[in-house]
Amino acid sequence: MTPIAVPTMLDIQDHVDLWQPCTTDVVLELRTGRMAKMAGLDIMSGINKKEREGGVFLSFLGLDADEHDPTFHGGVDKAVHAYCASHYPAWRDEFPSAAARFAPGAFGENLVFKHMNERNVCIGDVFAIGDGGAVLQVSLPRQPCFKLNHRFQLKNFAPNTYKLSRTGWYYRCLAEGIVKGGDSVVLKERPRPKWTIERVQEYLHRNVNDHAANEELAGVEELGVEARNAFQERVKKHKAKAEGGKKQGTVWRKYSIVEKKALTPRVTSFILKINTPLADSDELEEGTHATIRLPNGLVRSYSIVSGTKSSFELGIALDEHSRGGSRFLHESTSIGSSIEVSGFSDPMPIASAAAHHLFIVGGIGITAFLPIFETMHAIHFSFSVHWAVRSEADAPFRDRLAPFMHCVVLYDKEKGQRMDVPALLERRPWGTHVYVCGPDRLVDGVQGAVKSVGMEDDDVHYELFKVDASGDPFEVLVKNREGRVVQVECEESLLEALRRVFDGVESSCEVGNCGTCRITVVEGRVEHRGVGLPEGEKEEAMLSCVSRGVGRIVVEI
């Protein structure tokens, strides 16, 4: 395997071959730290570790007086984090604007090593530390998170650590004892000489579709649970895909409404349960939509606020301009009514490397984000929610927000309260990613404010819940389907028209968010709508769920 990068050794006098197995080393520094609030964020972290003098007791759960955010750090597989001092000069050279911040301890490591690094340390290696009886075993590569970006004040810095294999690694403790700076480190066992930390990272992050490597790593018992589970999940998905064979078009499964409850005068909760049990009824990921077909023939996509593939909840507002979807569900269904479901969208992309997450929401748009809020709260992400509603009485799912209401600002139109979007974006913390869901007026306002404050487009995600797909009729020649011609009427989308004629026309959100329904435009003018198509692709593609042709267009599907 070709090395990605070799760390420089500018401040290490005793050079060793970084590509040879390391059997001995020395602990340059021993560091511990208490949990403290990160500067500029309302979250706690144990990343600020100070050098300790003298011996420190090491237990099976880590060093004395060392604290971690338990969501991602600590536990038996992550008792101690180690980092190689030789990486710091390289970071300083590559990121001169943050050079002063790259010094031993900056990555929150407990053990600062002189020679040991990701290329000469292997999963399962057993090391004796000093003469205090402590024995450690290499368990995991470190998985970098947004806190590194914030610590070094470098946007999207964290991925560089695994791309260059400079993440550091974790140990589990096999024998408790006393450790200190200056201790010798001696290799006692090397059961997996093939699997260096660098090589594990190759398949964990950079070459994720190598099935043979994924299968082998899924069976490495010495590999910590976090990474081993990731490889096992890949193996599971690969087998499911292989057994599934070729996709046979859209499959509609019958569900029944088992609960229908008014949450506000305009918003109703619907719980749907499948009629024939599924073999796979896993929890749905946050930010997933369900595509449903109503008895009146309309196909709609709605955000799932909780549940599994077998039983899930939707929160749907009655739209006064409804084309038949929300109105039918509110007025023409009851307990026991049958609804067909074709599947579930991929989850909404979350900018996990962002230091802070700002949600700008209007009305029923809250349903797109509810499970995401709950997960972010559980794993101690920094986030804030600004939610504009017609009135407090028209704000559904308030009970779901209660645990983190301190992160939520409610704007009650009935009380004359207005959200100042430009001011929100101007005051955003460093490293903020913005998420937007609401009516067109709110989305348009955010788009204008984003430009006015100079934000990058890729720092904002728009989750539309309604787009007007109607307009003037037009004609479509489908070049790769025997030149068939399809007429698109005023009140139907191109996607709906194509499905009248052809099987297997894919879609997901059906409001222009995701890009699943993207088709190639060979010839003709297009009126683009939605946010799921990058600007650079609009000359050659369109979103068939919302965009419309002008006059006559030629496409391929």
Side-chain angles (χ1 to χ4, degrees):
M1 180 169 52
T2 303
I4 291 180
V6 179
T8 61
M9 300 287 285
L10 300 180
D11 58 354
I12 301 296
Q13 293 180 351
D14 301 326
H15 179 73
V16 294
D17 188 341
L18 297 180
W19 297 95
Q20 294 300 314
C22 193
T23 58
T24 62
D25 203 351
V26 64
V27 178
L28 295 178
E29 295 179 4
L30 177 70
R31 290 175 165 267
T32 63
R34 299 287 190 182
M35 292 285 286
K37 186 176 287 190
M38 293 194 78
L41 297 177
D42 190 23
I43 57 172
M44 304 289 283
S45 173
I47 198 170
N48 291 314
K49 301 192 184 301
K50 306 298 183 183
E51 187 173 3
R52 296 283 295 274
E53 299 294 335
V56 178
F57 181 67
L58 171 65
S59 75
F60 294 117
L61 291 178
L63 292 160
D64 181 54
D66 192 42
E67 295 180 343
H68 316 273
D69 177 347
T71 308
F72 297 112
H73 305 284
V76 293
D77 281 344
K78 300 178 179 180
V80 179
H81 177 234
Y83 203 74
C84 185
S86 67
H87 292 334
Y88 285 112
W91 289 128
R92 290 195 289 268
D93 289 344
E94 292 158 0
F95 296 94
S97 66
R101 302 186 185 99
F102 288 109
F107 278 74
E109 64 264 35
N110 300 115
L111 302 177
V112 182
F113 283 133
K114 191 173 186 179
H115 301 308
M116 291 166 61
N117 65 82
E118 294 80 357
R119 295 162 179 80
N120 56 33
V121 170
C122 302
I123 294 296
D125 281 0
V126 177
F127 290 94
I129 311 292
D131 56 8
V135 179
L136 297 176
Q137 183 179 44
V138 177
S139 56
L140 282 166
R142 179 183 177 170
Q143 296 273 57
C145 71
F146 71 91
K147 292 177 183 177
L148 291 179
N149 301 334
H150 192 73
R151 184 167 180 76
F152 299 117
Q153 295 289 286
L154 294 170
K155 182 180 176 182
N156 295 327
F157 168 77
N160 290 285
T161 64
Y162 63 74
K163 290 176 183 177
L164 300 171
S165 287
R166 299 183 203 155
T167 58
W169 61 95
Y170 287 108
Y171 290 101
R172 61 175 66 91
C173 177
L174 300 184
E176 297 180 329
I178 302 296
V179 296
K180 61 183 181 299
D183 272 349
S184 62
V185 184
V186 180
L187 179 68
K188 295 299 183 181
E189 295 179 39
R190 174 156 281 166
R192 303 283 183 174
K194 176 181 179 180
W195 290 112
T196 62
I197 295 295
E198 195 277 341
R199 192 158 185 263
V200 171
Q201 288 176 321
E202 172 69 18
Y203 299 106
L204 186 61
H205 293 294
R206 301 187 293 265
N207 185 9
V208 299
N209 295 316
D210 188 311
H211 176 62
N214 288 336
E215 196 158 35
E216 184 173 347
L217 283 161
V220 174
E221 294 181 359
E222 296 85 355
L223 187 61
V225 171
E226 180 182 85
R228 194 164 73 250
N229 283 352
F231 290 115
Q232 290 173 349
E233 187 63 25
R234 289 178 193 172
V235 171
K236 176 183 173 182
K237 288 181 178 180
H238 178 85
K239 289 180 178 178
K241 185 176 180 180
E243 291 168 1
K246 187 176 180 181
K247 188 174 180 180
Q248 298 297 319
T250 303
V251 176
W252 291 95
R253 293 184 171 89
K254 291 187 179 297
Y255 286 66
S256 295
I257 297 175
V258 296
E259 184 177 313
K260 180 179 179 181
K261 179 173 63 177
L263 303 179
T264 76
R266 288 192 322 118
V267 180
T268 296
S269 162
F270 297 83
I271 296 180
L272 277 61
K273 185 175 182 179
I274 197 166
N275 293 357
T276 303
L278 291 168
D280 173 15
S281 186
D282 295 337
E283 291 287 327
L284 293 163
E285 293 188 60
E286 301 86 353
T288 301
H289 296 77
T291 300
I292 71 174
R293 182 164 65 189
L294 303 173
N296 63 3
L298 291 177
V299 175
R300 294 291 184 265
S301 183
Y302 294 106
S303 298
I304 293 173
V305 296
S306 63
T308 68
K309 293 178 181 177
S310 292
S311 179
F312 57 88
E313 181 181 12
L314 307 175
I316 301 173
L318 176 59
D319 180 2
E320 55 262 41
H321 303 297
S322 172
R323 295 169 60 205
S326 67
R327 186 166 299 282
F328 185 93
L329 283 163
H330 275 255
E331 299 176 357
S332 301
T333 65
S334 58
I335 303 298
S337 292
S338 181
I339 304 290
E340 292 181 304
V341 179
S342 69
F344 306 92
S345 70
D346 291 333
M348 184 190 309
I350 300 300
S352 58
H356 182 74
H357 304 265
L358 169 60
F359 294 87
I360 298 176
V361 189
I364 194 61
I366 200 74
T367 58
F369 302 132
L370 271 175
I372 295 172
F373 300 156
E374 291 166 335
T375 297
M376 286 188 172
H377 176 66
I379 63 177
H380 307 142
F381 269 30
S382 175
F383 73 99
S384 57
V385 181
H386 291 259
W387 184 19
V389 296
R390 298 184 182 194
S391 67
E392 286 195 34
D394 197 47
F397 299 106
R398 292 282 298 280
D399 58 322
R400 295 272 295 269
L401 302 177
F404 42 87
M405 212 46 205
H406 61 284
C407 298
V408 181
V409 179
L410 194 70
Y411 301 84
D412 186 339
K413 183 180 179 181
E414 198 172 69
K415 296 178 180 178
Q417 298 168 347
R418 290 180 59 83
M419 188 189 307
D420 188 341
V421 173
L424 284 178
L425 298 187
E426 286 282 8
R427 297 194 305 263
R428 71 192 187 279
W430 182 91
T432 294
H433 193 86
V434 177
Y435 308 80
V436 187
C437 188
D440 292 345
R441 185 173 60 181
L442 177 66
V443 173
D444 292 343
V446 174
Q447 289 177 325
V450 164
K451 292 179 181 178
S452 69
V453 302
M455 287 186 68
E456 300 288 337
D457 288 342
D458 59 5
D459 285 335
V460 186
H461 172 81
Y462 298 95
E463 189 75 6
L464 307 182
F465 62 76
K466 183 182 72 172
V467 171
D468 183 8
S470 64
D472 293 336
F474 63 101
E475 183 178 271
V476 181
L477 185 150
V478 186
K479 186 177 180 180
N480 62 335
R481 298 292 176 92
E482 300 178 345
R484 294 280 297 275
V485 175
V486 179
Q487 302 294 331
V488 184
E489 304 302 331
C490 297
E491 293 300 319
E492 68 176 343
S493 68
L494 172 56
L495 177 66
E496 292 168 334
L498 291 173
R499 282 177 168 166
R500 282 195 281 102
V501 181
F502 307 108
D503 293 327
V505 182
E506 293 190 351
S507 69
S508 181
C509 73
E510 302 198 7
V511 288
N513 284 329
C514 67
T516 304
C517 69
R518 177 190 187 280
I519 62 173
T520 300
V521 177
V522 179
E523 183 182 315
R525 288 175 54 207
V526 173
E527 180 186 322
H528 290 286
R529 303 176 187 177
V531 295
L533 189 67
E535 197 65 36
E537 297 181 19
K538 290 184 176 179
E539 291 295 322
E540 57 189 30
M542 67 185 295
L543 302 176
S544 62
C545 70
V546 291
S547 298
R548 300 186 69 82
V550 178
R552 184 179 188 274
I553 61 173
V554 180
V555 305
E556 292 182 350
I557 60 175

